[in-house]
Amino acid sequence: AKTPVRVAVTGAAGQIAYSLLFRIANGDLLGKDTPVILQLLDLPQALNAVNGVVMEIDDCAFPLLAGVVITDDPEVAFKDADIAILVGARPRSKGMERADLLAANAAIFKVQGAALNKAASRDVKVLVVGNPANTNAYIAMKSAPDLPAKNFTAMLRLDHNRALSQLAAKAGVAVSSLEKLAVWGNHSPTMYADYRATTANGESIKAKINDEAWNRDTFLPTVGKRGAAIIEARGLSSAASAANAAIDHVRDWVLGTNGGWVSMGVPSDGSYGVPEGIIFGVPATCENGEYTVVKGIELDEFSKERFKITLDELLSEAEGVADLLK
Ligand code: NAI
């Protein structure tokens, strides 16, 4: 039998976790032959709720579930973790300034980065979902100097999947036929979903759609503001689709993409003019548990403009937390 994989999830009492944990325990993350141990972190006042979720997990009698840890101590949650999905974050409350939001989250991700540094497997794969996801991942990475920087990633996959769905509907093709989509930059409305290289059954989607006004005025705003549209309609933020994207991100990173492109927020190696270390959404392929950024994509004038907007936003977030990292 395989040794169980230790999967830490933070924000375990929250709504994304409620869609995520059951799927991990069911084998959707790592395959139906890999047992998992869930290591769940939340704040002290939320542990009772985590207990309730775990009662339900127990009641599913998942064959692959080899254990559950419940804790409010990040070092316990991350002990020997092979995978850490950091969902818990401080939401923006009414009247809260962006700087305060950044600072509140910086404090959380500094502690969690240090705990990962101390306790996790040296190969731990970290996915930050909690917003501002890219900058939170950046802070965790900077707070974990003994772990390879490349282990820290942020979730752009929900934007990627949202874009795939919009493109498939517009072009009248199956979503499963789409290849080579790239989502660049920050997980925020400034992200740039770039379908210039995208194909369906080998045919160019850009040529098939052939509508630059739709790209600029409909597609990009729809994908960028999708989170807000869901809050408006549902009264709650995206949760099941966010959990699904987290599963896609980690599963592909671990099990590979067979040459296919996925979008991941990863620490820049300096390519595409993004300063080293900034966690930037890029197209990547995954193989043998490692991701490789797709290189050599030319940026046209429009793409350069969009690229700059999202990069500038990330640079200003990094600047906003610089003092807290000293
Ligand atoms: P939620 O409010 O339902 O749950 C958050 C949970 O995190 C709560 O149980 C809370 O107690 C916990 N938490 C807060 N601080 C914590 C800490 N320091 N350590 C451990 N746990 C902590 O929120 P929901 O809907 O589950 O969303 C979680 C985060 O994911 C939010 O920041 C949201 O903005 C973000 N998100 C990101 C997406 C992406 O594409 N990257 C998509 C959708 C949501």
Side-chain angles (χ1 to χ4, degrees):
K2 276 192 171 177
T3 28
V5 173
R6 294 181 175 273
V7 184
V9 178
T10 75
Q15 51 147 8
I16 292 177
Y18 196 68
S19 287
L20 180 61
L21 299 177
F22 296 84
R23 292 191 56 192
I24 298 173
N26 191 45
D28 293 0
L29 188 69
L30 301 167
K32 298 285 183 188
D33 57 351
T34 306
V36 292
I37 296 173
L38 289 172
Q39 306 191 156
L40 307 179
L41 180 74
D42 210 306
L43 300 173
Q45 63 271 26
L47 288 188
N48 215 14
V50 178
N51 270 311
V53 175
V54 171
M55 286 162 72
E56 283 203 76
I57 290 173
D58 287 344
D59 294 348
C60 295
F62 288 116
L64 289 172
L65 188 62
V68 182
V69 174
I70 302 171
T71 181
D72 58 9
D73 179 346
E75 281 183 29
V76 172
F78 298 146
K79 180 94 184 89
D80 299 326
D82 302 295
I83 291 166
I85 307 181
L86 310 187
V87 180
R90 175 73 190 276
R92 187 188 290 257
S93 44
K94 227 185 168 130
M96 197 177 192
E97 296 288 339
R98 188 161 152 276
D100 300 333
L101 183 76
L102 275 173
N105 280 293
I108 294 172
F109 286 84
K110 220 175 148 168
V111 169
Q112 295 190 358
L116 284 162
N117 194 54
K118 194 163 170 197
S121 158
R122 299 300 88 181
D123 297 321
V124 64
K125 287 180 163 60
V126 182
L127 168 63
V128 177
V129 175
N131 281 319
N134 298 52
T135 296
N136 289 342
Y138 175 78
I139 293 160
M141 175 187 82
K142 292 283 185 194
S143 308
D146 304 325
L147 292 172
K150 68 174 168 63
N151 298 17
F152 289 82
T153 68
M155 193 162 93
L156 270 292
R157 188 61 175 265
L158 183 53
D159 309 277
H160 183 97
N161 288 346
R162 285 166 172 168
L164 286 178
S165 151
Q166 296 298 322
L167 288 171
K170 176 71 176 176
V173 298
V175 81
S176 60
S177 70
L178 294 173
E179 289 181 71
K180 294 191 171 177
L181 172 71
V183 182
W184 303 98
N186 199 6
H187 167 68
S188 93
T190 67
M191 61 85 232
Y192 173 41
D194 174 5
Y195 62 86
R196 291 173 304 135
T198 308
T199 59
N201 308 312
E203 202 186 333
S204 163
I205 277 291
K206 182 171 164 13
K208 196 172 164 80
I209 292 174
N210 189 27
D211 188 347
E212 276 316 293
W214 178 79
N215 179 29
R216 189 182 55 239
D217 302 332
T218 305
F219 172 69
L220 289 171
T222 300
V223 177
K225 296 178 192 155
R226 187 70 163 180
I230 285 170
I231 294 176
E232 179 71 28
R234 203 172 85 91
L236 289 167
S237 61
S238 345
S241 55
N244 179 68
I247 297 260
D248 283 353
H249 177 117
V250 175
R251 184 202 57 221
D252 285 349
W253 188 0
V254 174
L255 299 177
T257 62
N258 255 319
W261 293 14
V262 291
S263 300
M264 304 170 74
V266 306
S268 174
D269 60 3
S271 54
Y272 295 111
V274 178
E276 204 176 322
I278 293 291
I279 308 261
F280 198 80
V282 288
T285 58
C286 305
E287 202 181 346
N288 299 324
E290 302 284 343
Y291 59 80
T292 307
V293 177
V294 178
K295 296 282 170 69
I297 299 173
E298 300 275 343
L299 297 175
D300 58 14
E301 278 314 304
F302 178 72
S303 301
K304 280 183 191 155
E305 246 169 59
R306 297 294 310 216
F307 213 87
K308 182 171 185 326
I309 294 168
T310 196
L311 177 57
D312 284 351
E313 183 179 58
L314 274 171
L315 292 176
S316 90
E317 288 182 16
E319 202 180 290
V321 298
D323 276 349
L324 299 154
L325 285 170
K326 280 192 190 126

